[in-house]
Amino acid sequence: MPSPIARRAAMLLGMIVLLLLTGCGEKRPPLSPRGQASQLGADVMRGRQLIADYGCVACHTIEGVKGPVSRVGPPLKDMALRAYVGGVLPNTPENLVRWLLDPPAVDPRTAMPDMGMSVADAKDIAAYLLTLH
């Protein structure tokens, strides 16, 4: 009959194996879309201009776009390295476009308004933001 210490060690080993096995299975998408901006088929430089046109810099500091120093919304530096968009959606190119199209529909508690942008504009802006890393 195994000693109590041996039984505990065996139980602990079994739990570790079980935890390792739960990590196996379906491949999950990366938490950040670094290098995936091209999936949008968008115009990065047009996106940069649209950020200025929509006045995004009134609330956000955005690398490469001139504007006032603002602290209303978070700075969008390193957007391509973030795990989440708006703190609620996994950061994928498609989710960033979804967020840009209608932030309150995604998170009713957000202060970011629906800017009424077109899908093409949202894709271009997302493509630019996803170059920031």
Side-chain angles (χ1 to χ4, degrees):
M1 182 165 169
S3 71
I5 293 174
R7 279 185 282 175
R8 285 185 184 153
M11 182 181 281
L12 181 60
L13 181 59
M15 289 171 50
I16 290 171
V17 169
L18 184 60
L19 285 172
L20 291 173
L21 288 175
T22 60
C24 298
E26 70 181 73
K27 185 176 179 183
R28 294 183 181 166
L31 288 178
S32 71
R34 191 174 193 173
Q36 296 180 29
S38 61
Q39 292 178 2
L40 294 171
D43 184 336
V44 171
M45 294 321 302
R46 181 174 178 269
R48 181 176 173 216
Q49 181 59 50
L50 287 169
I51 287 170
D53 294 348
Y54 276 100
C56 303
V57 292
C59 296
H60 299 280
T61 301
I62 303 170
E63 207 174 297
V65 182
K66 290 183 181 179
V69 175
S70 179
R71 299 208 185 349
V72 175
L76 300 182
K77 181 181 178 183
D78 296 329
M79 195 64 204
L81 302 177
R82 294 184 184 189
Y84 292 94
V85 176
V88 294
L89 290 174
N91 191 5
T92 66
E94 298 77 17
N95 280 343
L96 182 53
V97 169
R98 179 178 163 204
W99 175 263
L100 291 169
L101 287 171
D102 191 357
V106 176
D107 181 3
R109 298 177 305 157
T110 186
M112 186 167 165
D114 177 351
M115 299 297 292
M117 65 178 67
S118 68
V119 172
D121 288 357
K123 284 184 177 184
D124 290 344
I125 290 171
Y128 178 76
L129 292 175
L130 292 174
T131 66
L132 303 179
H133 51 79

